[in-house]
Structures are given as structure tokens and as C-alpha cells.
Amino acid sequence: MLKEWKSLKDMELILSQQKASRLTGLIAYFLTFIPEDRRKHKFWPENPKSFRKVLEEYTSRMQILTELVSKAMAKSLNLEADCFLNQFGERAALQARFNYYSRCQRPDLVLGLKAHADGSGYTIILQDDVEGLQIIKDERWITAPSISDALLVLMGDQMEIMTNGIFKSPVHRVLTSSEKERISVAVFYTPEPNKEIGPEEGLVNEERPKIYKKVKDYAGVHWEYYQQGKRALHVAKV
């Protein structure tokens, strides 16, 4: 998949410019591939020739993976295996963003991607071997390891809501490099539109009272706040 994206980046792409305290630079291509009836094939690149076939195969693998990950997380919390899958719904979305970060002469001034948290349920990231993704913990930026052919699963706001705050949606950013370009593919797994999600009942008790309420169409609310450089998670707080 990264090989196809490396060829694709030489085509006309979408340049994402975002408001931040420092400049940000990212060339990205964004596609929805699940549900299938939401695909807009006219935007799918025709070159390289293998792109569509590879993406369709990658899509089928992602569908299997999201089911496995969702069930594993539920079991780790002693919940029914399908509880998170039920909240995501039968028409949960899988959307891919193909990211290309070029070499930058002033990495001290230019971010690859500004600090934010994802509005998805969770995000599955395939990276090359160039580090750049950072997650904030205890007010410090921690660089995530970059392992070729490995997948990083990053919690989004909606999974934090479903787990009543047990799984955290971390604020993260991407740095640029003056020496190497960086490529990644992020797949966002998001509950179906108009479906209400909320904390699982098995995760609410006297010791851990409910801290989030039920919400609907959170991804849209998140996007509005994201464009302002803000988090949206507070709108779901009790």
C-alpha cells in the first residue's frame, strides 16, 4: 500500500492547510471506501494501475482487522465481544487518508500535522520507517515508534466515550524532517451516521460513574472544532 501511495504522490493531490500557531504542511488524499455505496470512484486515481486493486484488498483486510480489534478491546474490559461493533453499526465507515510529508528546511517552524485528537472510533495507521508521529503524555511529547509493515491503533474520541474514559483518545501531531520524506496511510473507523453511541453499561458503576453522555453524529461536531484548533470531547461530557 505504501508503495502505491509513493507513486500516487507525484500526481495532483489535495493540499491541506490548517490553522495553527505554527505553519503546517501536509499533502493528503482522502477516500471513503466503506460502505461501498459511498465510494466515489471518479476521485479514485487511475495511476498507478495497481492502486485500485491494492486498495480493495487492503479494505477487505481492514474490515477483518476492525472486527478483531473491536472484539479484543471488548473482551479486555470483560464486556460482550460484539458490544462495540453493535455501537459502530452495520454501516460503520472506513475512510483512508494517504499522507505525504516532504522534506522541510525548517522543521522547527513547520509541523507535518497540527496537534489534535481523532474524531473516529479509532484509527489504524500504516507508517514507513521514518519517525514523526508524537503523542502527548503528562504534558510531554512522546515519539511513537515507526515500524515498517506494522500497524498502530490509535484511539479516537468516540472510543473514549464508549469506554467511559477508560481508553483515552490522545492528542497527537506529526513532525517534519529536514532529511527524509515520510509516508503513512491512516484508516479511520467511525460509527455509522445518525447512530447514537455512549458508554457501555458494563463500564458504569459507583466506582466509575458515567462521565460521558450519549451522542449522535459526533464526527461532524468534531470536524467543526478541529477547524478551529479545538477539541470537541467536552460536548459529550455529562
Side-chain angles (χ1 to χ4, degrees):
M1 175 59 71
L2 290 180
K3 180 180 179 181
E4 276 67 26
W5 172 227
K6 190 170 184 179
S7 299
L8 181 62
K9 73 179 178 59
D10 294 326
M11 301 172 52
E12 181 180 356
L13 302 175
I14 299 171
L15 177 63
S16 175
Q17 296 178 330
Q18 301 141 337
K19 296 178 181 178
S21 58
R22 297 192 293 173
L23 297 175
T24 60
L26 166 66
I27 296 178
Y29 207 85
F30 192 87
L31 294 174
T32 297
F33 48 84
I34 293 294
E36 290 188 24
D37 58 14
R38 289 182 58 192
R39 294 180 182 178
K40 297 182 179 180
H41 285 106
K42 64 180 180 180
F43 297 123
W44 285 40
E46 296 182 359
N47 290 302
K49 297 295 184 181
S50 60
F51 181 80
R52 291 194 178 195
K53 181 179 179 180
V54 171
L55 181 56
E56 288 176 353
E57 182 179 348
Y58 195 69
T59 298
S60 65
R61 299 289 180 89
M62 286 296 102
Q63 288 180 289
I64 294 171
L65 182 62
T66 52
E67 181 175 349
L68 290 173
V69 170
S70 297
K71 288 183 176 181
M73 289 193 294
K75 291 179 181 179
S76 74
L77 297 172
N78 297 317
L79 300 173
E80 291 293 326
D82 290 337
C83 67
F84 294 135
L85 290 172
N86 292 336
Q87 290 218 51
F88 276 92
E90 294 181 358
R91 288 181 58 79
L94 282 174
Q95 297 166 303
R97 191 180 67 208
F98 303 84
N99 307 307
Y100 170 65
Y101 306 92
S102 61
R103 287 187 291 272
C104 176
Q105 295 181 349
R106 292 297 305 273
D108 57 319
L109 294 178
V110 180
L111 285 170
L113 191 61
K114 69 178 182 179
H116 68 287
D118 289 347
S120 58
Y122 53 88
T123 306
I124 302 171
I125 305 173
L126 175 64
Q127 309 175 85
D128 59 15
D129 58 358
V130 180
E131 291 185 344
L133 176 63
Q134 290 190 320
I135 296 170
I136 197 165
K137 179 176 174 57
D138 299 327
E139 300 183 355
R140 294 179 53 209
W141 287 106
I142 308 297
T143 300
S146 187
I147 305 172
S148 296
D149 300 322
L151 295 170
L152 173 66
V153 179
L154 194 69
M155 295 297 103
D157 286 357
Q158 297 196 60
M159 185 55 68
E160 179 164 338
I161 294 170
M162 292 182 201
T163 62
N164 199 34
I166 295 177
F167 290 165
K168 304 297 184 182
S169 170
V171 172
H172 54 284
R173 67 181 184 183
V174 179
L175 302 182
T176 54
S177 170
S178 60
E179 299 178 355
K180 297 181 179 180
E181 61 184 13
R182 184 175 185 273
I183 296 173
S184 67
V185 178
V187 173
F188 303 93
Y189 182 46
T190 307
E192 66 180 58
N194 300 315
K195 193 170 192 313
E196 191 174 66
I197 63 123
E200 283 292 326
E201 293 184 5
L203 301 177
V204 179
N205 52 49
E206 291 183 2
E207 296 180 355
R208 181 177 287 275
K210 182 181 293 185
I211 60 176
Y212 291 109
K213 58 188 178 183
K214 292 183 178 180
V215 293
K216 186 184 294 186
D217 291 330
Y218 177 84
V221 175
H222 170 271
W223 176 243
E224 292 179 6
Y225 277 91
Y226 173 81
Q227 293 180 89
Q228 302 172 43
K230 301 177 181 178
R231 292 200 69 175
L233 199 53
H234 68 277
V235 304
K237 289 287 184 70
V238 172

